[in-house]
């Protein structure tokens, strides 16, 4: 296992120390229990947005804490759900009296632990709404999940709901927006190579030189099929067809196209893929009005990519465009 | 070779097509010859900043074209210098009558081809100043280079000189700033794994499971030494010691710390490394006043990292903070 780490058991804490040092203007890292929180939390009278999940998917979620996105993020161990007490402590830290939206990717452990935390917070009088993201079209059920997995759509949801909360939207409005994003977003991913979880020390799965995993999960869990490696045109067409035909996205739909790298994919390859996706969407008459290209929800050093499409309306577009200042996404400020 | 590409011979053009589609508000891609240019070029009366080099190091340089950074970038084939006619055409496209600064990483082919282009442009009456970046402390001479190689310092230089040009600084001022950055910036990198150049199809070099290459070049060329893999503490200490002792940076120096990923390094590892670098600099009494963490000068899918330190003064700090809007760096706008 070749990694720039000191010890598998301290890698998350050490990375958070680096995050705190690099972005002291934006966030603080709390320990025992661990969560990352906006430097100016709690914000009285504002809805707070909290997310979290296993580490190893950076910048998701800790890299999205800041102005106009998340108020707090709860990182678990690598590929391991955060505990209820982490989430409960984060909710307490950010509650400004207007309620808290929990954004949960649909993995059994995450759903269970966030739900427990939500109940504990509710018992303390904090109004909590939980939104589960399940945008991955690859498989119906899978390792760690009943129902579809939550993947790239989570990034877009956190940006949009965070923007609404930032400008003072109330809890019902934030929840409705989150549900609208969930209803209109779909993703599909693939891997060329595996990743290696630090405390495991061996690759999570193996692929031969001429295979790829279509529909791979962000923990390396099996996808829809293992097929022969194809040129980029074929890869992107498979991902995009899967996404478009699922919702379905139809002619003259306005969309945000998110071309995501899994962590080990070079930027040059991501832009090759993005260009193909733009062309294929143009052929279908689907209008790409916003874009995001880069590694925003990753699986450690896995080589691979995913495509996410979000159906846009004027309100979602405007919230996407709103100022954001986090370690990983920044504009307008 | 596992890559998301169609064909090694079209990968650069296809990636540029994706870049143009994703960032039509910022830039245009010109073909025959190939260069990437700001959408609003030329800007009359403003100094223009032009860079370029082999592809495979993205986002450097094409991802830095836009407001407040580069006016144009000339991408060569992967790890191959751009031709003089690319550079000459880019100079013509951006010249607004106030002169052009060429930012050249110190590799023999780049220096030669940019120099030829500068002479051709000068013969056409365009005032051109060439600044060569040679910030890599790893080795004195190396494959492709007489003298030190140009690496991470180039990113910082392009941001700072681009900011000065954006606000109307004249050619002499831009050149002086560029030389001040070159004088005060040092870098040192390492690799855990090789990268594979698409048209070669085989890894550029090989390392065993317990080796790392200290001082690796961004084309995978040999570094200072091949040594046993160490924990992150040891890796970062070696890189930082090399950088600090070279200039040297001394107690109470104000610096920008740039922790760079080589392309295949997970974000979580980069933040582990960044946190260590912050701690080691604090121990030396060197004041980190600005940070950049991420993969900004890469070697395809290579796993590894580099540390760059730039000595700051008030003017450089203010230019670093100035608004920038490019595909890869954006703030204040």
């Amino acid at each position: 296992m070749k990694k720039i780490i000191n010890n598998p058991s301290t890698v998350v804490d050490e990375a958070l120390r680096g995050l705190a040092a690099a972005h002291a203007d934006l966030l603080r890292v709390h320990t025992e229990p661990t969560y990352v929180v906006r430097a100016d939390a709690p914000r009285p009278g504002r809805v707070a947005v909290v997310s979290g999940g296993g580490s190893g998917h950076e910048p998701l979620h800790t890299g999205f804490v800041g102005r106009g996105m998340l108020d707090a993020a709860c990182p678990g161990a690598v590929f391991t759900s955060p505990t209820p007490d982490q989430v409960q402590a984060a909710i307490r830290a950010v509650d400004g009296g207007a309620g808290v939206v929990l954004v949960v990717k649909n993995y059994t452990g995450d759903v269970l632990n966030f739900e427990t935390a939500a109940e504990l917070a509710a018992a303390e009088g904090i109004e909590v709404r939980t939104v589960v993201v399940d945008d991955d079209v690859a498989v119906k059920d899978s390792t760690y999940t009943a129902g579809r997995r939550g993947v790239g759509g989570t990034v877009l949801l956190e940006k949009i709901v965070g923007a609404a909360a930032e400008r003072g939207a109330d809890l019902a409005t934030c929840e409705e927006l989150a549900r609208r994003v969930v209803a209109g977003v779909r993703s599909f991913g693939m891997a060329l190579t595996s990743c290696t979880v630090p405390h495991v020390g061996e690759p999570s799965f193996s692929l031969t030189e001429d295979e790829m995993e279509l529909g791979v999960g962000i923990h390396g869990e099996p996808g829809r099929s293992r097929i022969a490696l194809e040129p980029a045109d074929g890869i992107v067409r498979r991902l995009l067809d899967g996404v478009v035909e699922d919702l379905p996205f139809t002619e003259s739909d306005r969309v945000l196209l998110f071309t995501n790298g899994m962590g080990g994919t070079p930027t040059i390859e991501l832009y090759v893929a993005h260009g193909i996706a733009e062309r294929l969407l143009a052929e279908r008459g689907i209008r790409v009005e916003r874009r995001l290209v880069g590694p925003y929800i990753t699986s450690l050093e896995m080589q691979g990519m995913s495509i996410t499409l979000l159906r846009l309306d004027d309100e979602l577009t405007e919230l996407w465009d709103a100022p954001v200042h986090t370690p990983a996404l920044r504009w307008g400020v």
Side-chain angles (χ1 to χ4, degrees), chain A:
Chain A
M1 177 176 64
K2 302 188 88 167
K3 291 182 182 292
I4 301 172
I5 63 172
N6 283 317
N7 187 323
S9 66
T10 60
V11 62
V12 171
D13 288 344
E14 289 190 72
L16 292 175
R17 216 172 295 150
L19 188 79
H23 306 288
D25 53 330
L26 294 177
L27 53 82
R28 305 273 177 268
V29 173
H30 188 276
T31 53
E32 298 182 29
T34 299
Y35 58 86
V36 179
V37 61
R38 271 178 73 147
D40 59 354
R43 297 180 305 132
R46 298 296 168 112
V47 170
V49 185
V50 174
S51 192
S55 293
H57 307 303
E58 290 72 22
L60 187 87
H61 300 269
T62 52
F64 298 138
V65 174
R67 180 176 160 197
M69 210 160 165
L70 295 180
D71 292 81
C74 306
V78 173
F79 294 179
T80 303
S81 300
T83 57
D85 69 306
Q86 286 180 262
V87 181
Q88 185 190 11
I91 292 171
R92 277 185 190 146
V94 299
D95 174 46
V100 178
V101 176
L102 296 185
V103 180
V104 186
K105 301 194 300 304
N106 190 36
Y107 298 96
T108 306
D110 289 22
V111 171
L112 204 67
N113 291 355
F114 275 84
E115 198 48 53
T116 304
E119 286 165 13
L120 293 169
E124 291 174 352
I126 302 174
E127 204 172 356
V128 178
R129 304 288 168 83
T130 300
V131 177
V132 176
V133 190
D134 58 351
D135 57 317
D136 188 345
V137 306
V139 288
K140 174 78 187 77
D141 299 315
S142 76
T143 331
Y144 318 126
T145 328
R148 289 179 165 184
R149 303 173 297 212
V151 287
T154 317
V155 177
L156 310 185
L157 188 152
E158 292 176 357
K159 169 66 183 81
I160 286 168
V161 178
E166 185 73 34
R167 59 174 63 167
D170 65 16
L171 187 60
T173 303
C174 289
E175 183 186 9
E176 186 280 320
L177 277 166
R179 298 200 189 283
R180 202 191 315 166
V181 172
V182 171
V185 72
R186 295 294 184 273
S187 299
F188 199 8
M190 57 77 61
L192 295 175
T193 63
S194 179
C195 55
T196 297
V197 177
H199 63 264
V200 176
E202 299 290 333
S204 303
F205 61 100
S206 68
L207 290 166
T208 64
E209 260 304 294
D210 51 6
E211 281 179 335
M212 61 182 185
E213 181 81 22
L214 189 68
V216 71
I218 55 172
H219 314 93
E221 63 269 35
R224 190 183 282 191
S225 54
R226 185 163 293 192
I227 60 175
L229 185 60
E230 294 180 348
D233 279 337
I235 293 170
V236 176
R237 184 180 292 276
R238 284 179 188 273
L239 297 183
L240 207 57
D241 285 354
V243 165
V244 167
E245 287 158 18
D246 187 86
L247 191 63
F249 293 87
T250 56
E251 192 170 343
S252 79
D253 268 353
R254 301 155 55 191
V255 299
L256 187 160
L257 166 60
F258 170 26
T259 304
N260 177 64
M262 289 293 195
T265 302
T267 300
I268 194 170
E269 295 179 31
L270 268 194
Y271 274 103
V272 167
H274 182 80
I276 296 166
E278 294 255 8
R279 176 168 53 79
L280 295 174
L281 286 166
E283 285 172 12
R284 285 178 176 268
I286 294 170
R287 291 143 58 196
V288 180
E289 298 204 337
R290 294 293 183 275
R291 287 95 177 159
L292 181 67
V293 184
Y296 292 103
I297 170 169
T298 64
S299 303
L300 299 168
E301 71 280 13
M302 183 188 284
Q303 287 182 262
M305 62 169 294
S306 61
I307 296 270
T308 297
L309 281 187
L310 168 66
R311 186 182 280 158
L312 289 173
D313 57 32
D314 288 345
E315 188 179 15
L316 297 184
T317 306
E318 207 235 322
L319 289 165
W320 176 259
D321 290 344
V324 62
H325 187 181
T326 69
L329 275 191
R330 182 175 182 182
W331 55 73
V333 61

